[in-house]
Amino acid sequence: MKSSDLEGLLTLVHKEIELKKDAYLFQEGDLADGIYYIRSGKIRIGKVTPDGREIAFQIFSEGDFIYEISLYSDTALYAVHARAIEDSVCAKIKKDILEENLLLKPSLNVEFMKMMSLHHKKMQSKFRDLILHGKKGALYSTLIRLANSYGIEKEDGILVDLSLTNQELANFCGMTREVVNRMLSSLKKDAKLSMQDGKILIHDLDYLREENHCEICPIEICKID
């Protein structure tokens, strides 16, 4: 959810944090004592599996809030990490200040609960695609979400205006790079997508939706952020 819906939170900013590309905003095991507002740049949320593989969950951009915390409970540790995929500036709002203001300002509380609810719906939708449709569902779902979040209409399709390596794409799908390479090669062979200046150009988004048996979710749910 963008800042226009939660402008009241920006008055609670505790400090500004500047991050270079690949720097961590927080890591797994750090104290989860606040939420973050992205003033500029992009932050990827992910997790490292016991065997050392990285799984990516979401990408947050300028105007988004990152809220990997549990409210009104003992402060826990982050179970995920947040890493800048480009130079970024983030503003931190401390957990205790947030909780106090949500209690005092019902309208702000309502908007924050809406944001949290939307977050849960996005994650449920993503896991549904993975569980019901396996590896193909994971890749096609990720491509659809990328198009909804960063897509630019072109004459021959939708350009995903975000540079991702095949390894980074595999991280979002929970698969190896080799598997993603094969699946992308098949889609390219069938002219469903191509590459343009290192970015994915989807020529047939409807094909991906049909293969994934999309339920025509609202676009705010079917996004990568």
Side-chain angles (χ1 to χ4, degrees):
M1 185 174 288
K2 299 298 181 179
S3 62
S4 58
D5 299 298
L6 291 161
E7 291 180 352
L9 290 180
L10 301 183
T11 65
L12 310 178
V13 168
H14 169 62
K15 66 177 179 178
E16 303 278 334
I17 302 169
E18 295 185 6
L19 298 168
K20 294 295 185 181
K21 181 181 178 181
D22 292 328
Y24 286 95
L25 178 62
F26 56 78
Q27 299 193 54
E28 296 177 52
D30 287 350
L31 196 65
D33 61 348
I35 68 171
Y36 297 88
Y37 170 70
I38 302 179
R39 295 204 184 278
S40 64
K42 291 183 176 65
I43 305 291
R44 182 178 62 229
I45 304 298
K47 185 175 181 65
V48 177
T49 65
D51 61 0
R53 291 189 302 113
E54 182 174 0
I55 299 176
F57 298 124
Q58 291 177 287
I59 295 177
F60 290 98
S61 305
E62 179 178 340
D64 285 328
F65 285 92
I66 299 174
Y67 36 89
E68 297 291 334
I69 62 171
S70 297
L71 295 176
Y72 306 112
S73 60
D74 292 339
T75 301
L77 305 180
Y78 283 116
V80 296
H81 63 249
R83 193 173 187 178
I85 59 176
E86 62 185 43
D87 291 353
S88 305
V89 177
C90 299
K92 182 176 182 178
I93 300 170
K94 295 183 69 174
K95 178 176 180 285
D96 55 347
I97 299 300
L98 172 64
E99 291 172 337
E100 179 182 350
N101 277 267
L102 291 179
L103 287 174
L104 295 174
K105 302 171 183 177
S107 60
L108 187 61
N109 196 339
V110 169
E111 293 303 321
F112 191 84
M113 291 301 106
K114 287 181 181 178
M115 181 174 69
M116 297 292 284
S117 175
L118 182 59
H119 170 72
H120 290 311
K121 289 178 181 178
K122 286 179 182 178
M123 298 308 294
Q124 287 173 352
S125 175
K126 183 174 181 179
F127 290 139
R128 177 202 64 204
D129 291 340
L130 176 60
I131 292 171
L132 293 181
H133 306 298
K135 294 178 179 178
K136 184 177 75 171
L139 177 60
Y140 289 11
S141 171
T142 298
L143 291 172
I144 293 168
R145 293 170 193 278
L146 286 168
N148 288 341
S149 295
Y150 299 104
I152 298 176
E153 293 280 352
K154 299 289 185 179
E155 288 185 4
D156 53 348
I158 298 177
L159 178 68
V160 178
D161 191 24
L162 182 69
S163 295
L164 289 172
T165 66
N166 285 6
Q167 181 61 64
E168 289 171 327
L169 189 58
N171 291 346
F172 274 106
C173 303
M175 296 186 288
T176 65
R177 178 173 55 83
E178 291 75 17
V179 171
V180 167
N181 287 347
R182 290 196 296 270
M183 296 175 72
L184 289 177
S185 294
S186 178
L187 288 170
K188 291 174 185 176
K189 182 180 179 181
D190 294 336
K192 303 303 181 183
L193 60 76
S194 61
M195 301 300 295
Q196 186 177 102
D197 298 325
K199 298 178 180 179
I200 297 172
L201 179 62
I202 301 174
H203 301 296
D204 194 346
L205 188 62
D206 286 338
Y207 170 80
L208 301 180
R209 289 171 173 160
E210 290 169 2
E211 287 293 301
N212 231 33
H213 304 284
C214 280
E215 299 178 358
I216 316 299
C217 300
I219 194 167
E220 62 266 20
I221 292 177
C222 191
K223 299 180 74 176
I224 207 75
D225 55 7

